[in-house]
Amino acid sequence: MIAAILMVGGIGAVAALILGISSVTFAVKMDPREKAVLDQLPGANCGACGYAGCAAFAQELVRNTDAEMTCPAVKGETLQAISDILGRALGAGAPLKAFVRCKGSPNATQNRFLYVGPQDCMAAQIMQGGSKACQFGCLGLGSCVDVCLFDAISMGEDGLPHVVKEKCTGCGKCVAACPRGIIQLIPIDASFAVGCSSSDSAKDMKQLCSVGCIKCSLCADICPFEAITVSRTSAAIIDQEKCHRCGLCVSVCPTGVIASLEVPAKARIILEKCKGCGICEQICPVNAASGTVKQPYTIDEGRCIGCGLCIEKCPADAIERVSS
Amino acid sequence: MKTFKGGIHPPDMKELVNRVPIVDMPLSAVFTVYVQQHLGAPAKPIVEAGQKVKKGQLLSEPMGFVSVPVHAPTSGTVKAVTKQVHPVTGLLAPCIAIESDGHDEWVQGIPRQQDPFTMSKDALLASIRDCGLVGMGGATFPTHVKLSPPKDKVIDTFIVNGAECEPYLAADHRLMLEDPERILDGIRIALRILDLPHAVFAIEGNKPDAIALMKSKATPEIQVEELKVKYPQGAEKQLIQAITGREVPSGGLPMDVGAIVQNAGTCAAIADACLRGVPLIERITSVTGRGIRTPKNIRVRIGTPLREIIEFCGGLQDPAKVIFGGPMMGIAQYSDQISVMKGTSGILVLTGEDTNISSYAACISCGRCVEACPMGLIPSVLSKMGEKNQWEKAGQFHLLDCVECGSCTYVCPSKRPIVHFIKHLKALQRAASAKSKGA
């Protein structure tokens, strides 16, 4: 009995000694900041930063003082926390979100045949080019939903994927997963985007789909900022850098293919500051501002589209956005 | 009787057409000839709308060695260089529409008399290429490439594939019965090109009349061999295993084990090309299945619209699926705005009773697909990987050795689309390797 206790205890003591020594001699030196940074990163290992997972990116951030914050999910407080750990200010990349450029639900867009194979978009695409008649149409089998590590995409009742802006980090996994290349990354605060990427002619497209872009160019013509380009072989594209979010394009689009993502707050004139110069009246694309010179102007909220042009131009800083 | 390991025994259904003599399909008013009808580098159209063409005139020129041209199926006017749904990819593909003038006149210089046994090998290969020959069993690999093996490969066996193992189809069977001399001429020319003393003509045992006829007609250098009736007996690698006992190594080609296989129909086309300089502008196709009123074997020009062929064969009855090729490896079509290609070995119309459109269930690991796989793969594992997009892992399970014969899908009690999963994995693998090459 005692011999057994001594034997086992002795083995334990020897093993403890060996482990103790090796833990000192073979210790892997790790910068404690790496662990701290890693704790702040989202931990989804999505690879959008360009490194092999969050740990590799944390290591890069700590070891390479020139490394930039390329993780699309880090912003705000988290960004500040990581900057504090590293002791250098990190700039945030322009945050992006995913946008599905198709509004062709099964009711709106024709199918060429009945597909009964594996429920995966890539697998469906190799079968005679996919069952959806429009080659730019969403196949609706949800491969983008499957690859999203942030649970930010779900299939809606309309058979199309919907992106939850709050959850989307703009990692681009879904963009790569879509065999038809219809998912695009756009700035997170983008207000309007065109829900169609068809390069078929309007006539060909219309035979297949009732909601696609017919390339009428009404949106491009009305856009006061020349932010929209459209041609015979390309659906309308909104240049998000030029877009002032006036929403005129949405109001004229005959097929309703332009999506309103974020409706901007409307403008209001601060009466005390207004000098009555009338610039707002001249600049307003929808004639929402009115008044008499040298008297405070007013903006008709019903007409205002929140483009913010007047706010930019007002010399007296007398226009603000109505916080809703 | 010679055969390979694995395989399945589907009902062969050949009685629908195997006793029906070949008939000529009347000329269409308009032919649409796809520019891409072969595996390999694309070809470029060289005719313009409005141009007059004669039968056999070149319509496109090949770009690269592994590429072949297409020819005008009849004389007439080029209506347009346009786009039409391609039966293999299902996408719009360039094609040349030719309005027939009804005269069906040959272009000057075709047909001509030439003696292939005094011509050089290079001249023969050039004839074969210029005539646009591809493997007519369905894979459409350019014939001249197959017949010019690299110098370091020693070829000792030439096999003529008369197995026609796909159920329903009987085009090669009818050709062997009705035009044996043309096939035998083609075999002799191929032997001359390959510098081989003899060939093996392999025919499945369900065609006893063709075997007997070939045995009586064949000269001593052509040995007719009867094969066991089993699918996929006519798949190239399985055929080589059956005849020579050699196994094509993983990732290898038949020439790695010293064998070259040509389809019987291709041999007939070789005879046309080398004896008379006639390009590949027509082929024999079985129009069959219970969904077509009068199944026929037709001699049809390349570019004939599917719609007219169906009409010629009496129209459809309770059609559920139209397939280009056989039921095992053929491709289901969704449009009737397509036309016959060089590789269209059959047009099969299945009825609702013949098809089983249902969803699939989980793999129960019964192992029937493993027994059936003629390539010795584990299809059940590959199909499960297909569900999870694990193409990298599938590579370790010899994904690329799958010949997509469909035996596994045929025997699966869970009705799993195993070949579809494997094609999906192959597509993912291709996309990834294209991406890594581009980066």
Side-chain angles (χ1 to χ4, degrees):
Chain A
M1 175 72 183
I2 295 188
I5 292 172
L6 285 177
M7 189 73 85
V8 174
I11 293 171
V14 172
L17 191 70
I18 296 171
L19 284 173
I21 294 169
S22 42
S23 74
V24 176
T25 35
F26 301 119
V28 178
K29 287 200 179 64
M30 191 184 161
D31 195 324
R33 292 181 298 165
E34 278 177 29
K35 173 91 178 45
V37 172
L38 183 57
D39 288 343
Q40 294 292 333
L41 291 174
N45 295 321
C46 69
C49 56
Y51 296 90
C54 294
F57 183 49
Q59 193 179 45
E60 181 70 14
L61 279 176
V62 172
R63 294 191 185 173
N64 180 3
T65 49
D66 295 330
E68 301 211 10
M69 174 50 68
T70 47
C71 175
V74 169
K75 47 202 153 214
E77 280 175 28
T78 321
L79 183 68
Q80 190 54 47
I82 295 176
S83 300
D84 291 346
I85 295 165
L86 297 175
R88 61 193 167 93
L90 287 170
L96 300 169
K97 66 182 168 190
F99 174 70
V100 182
R101 289 184 293 167
C102 179
K103 287 196 159 188
S105 62
N107 293 333
T109 311
Q110 289 174 27
N111 273 327
R112 299 188 294 188
F113 52 87
L114 174 71
Y115 175 76
V116 290
Q119 298 296 298
D120 176 283
C121 298
M122 188 68 133
Q125 178 73 13
I126 59 168
M127 182 62 79
Q128 297 275 292
S131 60
K132 197 107 184 217
C134 172
Q135 280 306 298
F136 306 90
C138 172
L139 290 164
L141 297 173
S143 287
C144 49
V145 178
D146 295 340
V147 295
C148 183
L149 295 162
F150 300 94
D151 199 18
I153 312 184
S154 58
M155 289 307 287
E157 277 177 12
D158 57 357
L160 297 171
H162 291 267
V163 180
V164 181
K165 180 194 138 197
E166 287 72 25
K167 288 183 180 171
C168 179
T169 63
C171 71
K173 281 244 160 192
C174 51
V175 176
C178 179
R180 291 189 153 187
I182 56 176
I183 306 183
Q184 191 185 30
L185 294 178
I186 57 172
I188 199 144
D189 56 353
S191 292
F192 304 103
V194 182
C196 179
S197 61
S198 170
S199 58
D200 285 341
S201 72
K203 189 178 150 221
D204 291 348
M205 192 279 300
K206 206 70 192 166
Q207 284 174 355
L208 311 171
C209 174
S210 59
V211 293
C213 172
I214 53 169
K215 290 125 190 132
C216 64
S217 101
L218 281 178
C219 54
D221 293 345
I222 203 161
C223 179
F225 315 102
E226 293 179 355
I228 306 183
T229 45
V230 55
S231 74
R232 278 184 165 194
T233 54
S234 151
I237 297 167
I238 299 179
D239 183 340
Q240 298 292 350
E241 278 182 22
K242 288 184 185 168
C243 175
H244 279 65
R245 313 193 208 168
C246 67
L248 280 175
C249 50
V250 177
S251 63
V252 295
C253 180
T255 60
V257 74
I258 304 178
S260 303
L261 304 168
E262 307 273 321
V263 180
K266 301 194 170 180
R268 181 171 64 194
I269 292 177
I270 307 164
L271 298 178
E272 302 84 61
K273 282 192 184 171
C274 180
K275 297 198 172 96
C277 66
I279 289 177
C280 50
E281 187 179 0
Q282 288 165 24
I283 198 108
C284 181
V286 290
N287 298 328
S290 58
T292 33
V293 182
K294 303 223 167 140
Q295 298 285 319
Y297 275 61
T298 52
I299 291 174
D300 179 351
E301 248 191 67
R303 282 188 169 184
C304 175
I305 51 177
C307 70
L309 268 191
C310 53
I311 303 176
E312 269 174 39
K313 296 286 177 186
C314 178
D317 282 339
I319 312 180
E320 61 176 6
R321 284 195 190 269
V322 184
S323 48
S324 50
Chain B
M1 222 182 281
K2 291 185 170 174
T3 191
F4 62 98
K5 204 172 122 272
I8 54 169
H9 298 277
D12 81 356
M13 303 300 286
K14 289 186 193 276
E15 64 280 2
L16 284 171
V17 280
N18 65 2
R19 288 197 182 83
V20 184
I22 299 167
V23 287
D24 283 306
M25 167 88 197
L27 285 184
S28 304
V30 177
F31 291 89
T32 42
V33 182
Y34 296 102
V35 177
Q36 182 87 15
Q37 305 204 18
H38 58 272
L39 278 182
K44 198 176 73 186
I46 51 166
V47 289
E48 288 168 2
Q51 193 176 328
K52 289 251 186 286
V53 289
K54 290 279 171 67
K55 178 175 163 187
Q57 190 176 333
L58 216 56
L59 296 180
S60 70
E61 68 181 10
M63 320 238 287
F65 178 63
V66 189
S67 183
V68 291
V70 289
H71 301 80
T74 185
S75 58
T77 318
V78 176
K79 223 171 92 181
V81 179
T82 168
K83 287 195 167 179
Q84 187 178 270
V85 174
H86 195 281
V88 176
T89 63
L91 304 174
L92 290 177
C95 68
I96 297 161
I98 295 172
E99 202 160 28
S100 168
D101 60 9
H103 301 308
D104 202 28
E105 283 171 338
W106 283 103
V107 70
Q108 205 185 354
I110 299 177
R112 57 179 181 263
Q113 291 299 320
Q114 54 188 37
D115 182 7
F117 299 96
T118 57
M119 287 165 75
S120 73
K121 281 175 208 166
D122 287 341
L124 288 172
L125 285 170
S127 283
I128 288 173
R129 183 193 189 184
D130 295 344
C131 289
L133 262 59
V134 296
M136 288 168 76
T140 67
F141 191 75
T143 304
H144 67 279
V145 182
K146 238 179 168 182
L147 288 175
S148 17
K151 290 218 165 57
D152 56 321
K153 303 276 185 221
V154 182
I155 304 299
D156 59 10
T157 312
F158 178 64
I159 303 171
V160 183
N161 186 353
E164 199 164 50
C165 60
E166 273 273 6
Y168 287 94
L169 307 188
D172 286 350
H173 185 186
R174 289 314 305 180
L175 180 70
M176 286 189 276
L177 287 178
E178 296 182 32
D179 222 347
E181 290 302 338
R182 236 170 96 224
I183 302 177
L184 295 171
D185 281 340
I187 297 172
R188 284 186 277 264
I189 295 164
L191 286 178
R192 182 176 143 69
I193 294 172
L194 294 168
D195 238 343
L196 285 175
H198 61 266
V200 181
F201 197 150
I203 307 172
E204 237 185 19
N206 58 0
K207 295 178 257 297
D209 47 353
I211 296 171
L213 182 69
M214 280 301 166
K215 275 191 174 156
S216 69
K217 298 261 178 192
T219 38
E221 73 268 30
I222 300 166
Q223 174 202 345
V224 179
E225 196 68 71
E226 183 178 346
L227 298 166
K228 192 175 170 185
V229 184
K230 188 161 74 169
Y231 180 86
Q233 187 63 78
E236 200 171 48
K237 289 169 186 171
Q238 279 60 44
L239 194 59
I240 293 168
Q241 198 186 5
I243 297 293
T244 67
R246 300 173 202 160
E247 191 174 314
V248 178
S250 172
L253 290 169
M255 60 175 73
D256 294 330
V257 293
I260 285 180
V261 180
Q262 290 288 356
N263 181 269
T266 317
C267 287
I270 291 174
D272 289 345
C274 296
L275 287 166
R276 293 183 294 281
V278 169
L280 179 52
I281 55 165
E282 64 180 17
R283 66 159 299 142
I284 316 291
T285 291
S286 292
V287 188
T288 180
R290 288 194 286 181
I292 195 107
R293 254 175 244 257
T294 43
K296 285 179 183 171
N297 291 299
I298 53 171
R299 184 176 288 108
V300 62
R301 298 280 165 91
I302 307 298
T304 304
L306 169 63
R307 197 188 282 245
E308 288 179 29
I309 294 172
I310 290 173
E311 259 169 48
F312 180 63
C313 295
L316 302 174
Q317 51 187 8
D318 177 29
K321 233 179 198 185
V322 176
I323 296 170
F324 263 35
M328 298 301 295
M329 290 189 71
I331 297 170
Q333 303 298 326
Y334 63 87
S335 167
D336 61 354
Q337 306 284 329
I338 51 175
S339 52
V340 166
M341 302 204 303
K342 292 176 183 175
T344 311
S345 50
I347 296 168
L348 174 62
V349 187
L350 296 177
T351 60
E353 218 175 285
D354 299 328
T355 50
N356 179 8
I357 298 174
S358 62
S359 54
Y360 58 92
C363 172
I364 55 167
S365 301
C366 65
R368 284 164 77 169
C369 54
V370 182
E371 262 168 42
C373 181
M375 294 303 288
L377 304 177
I378 316 176
S380 55
V381 171
L382 289 169
S383 85
K384 283 184 257 186
M385 288 171 180
E387 276 176 307
K388 301 186 201 105
N389 301 335
Q390 294 168 329
W391 58 269
E392 273 170 312
K393 212 169 154 193
Q396 297 163 8
F397 284 76
H398 302 285
L399 170 70
L400 297 182
D401 284 328
C402 171
V403 295
E404 301 172 13
C405 69
S407 299
C408 49
T409 311
Y410 182 80
V411 296
C412 181
S414 289
K415 306 276 171 243
R416 290 168 68 77
I418 304 178
V419 175
H420 193 160
F421 279 125
I422 289 174
K423 283 186 177 181
H424 169 54
L425 286 167
K426 284 183 178 173
L428 289 176
Q429 199 259 3
R430 259 199 312 276
S433 70
K435 204 174 156 193
S436 66
K437 259 182 211 158

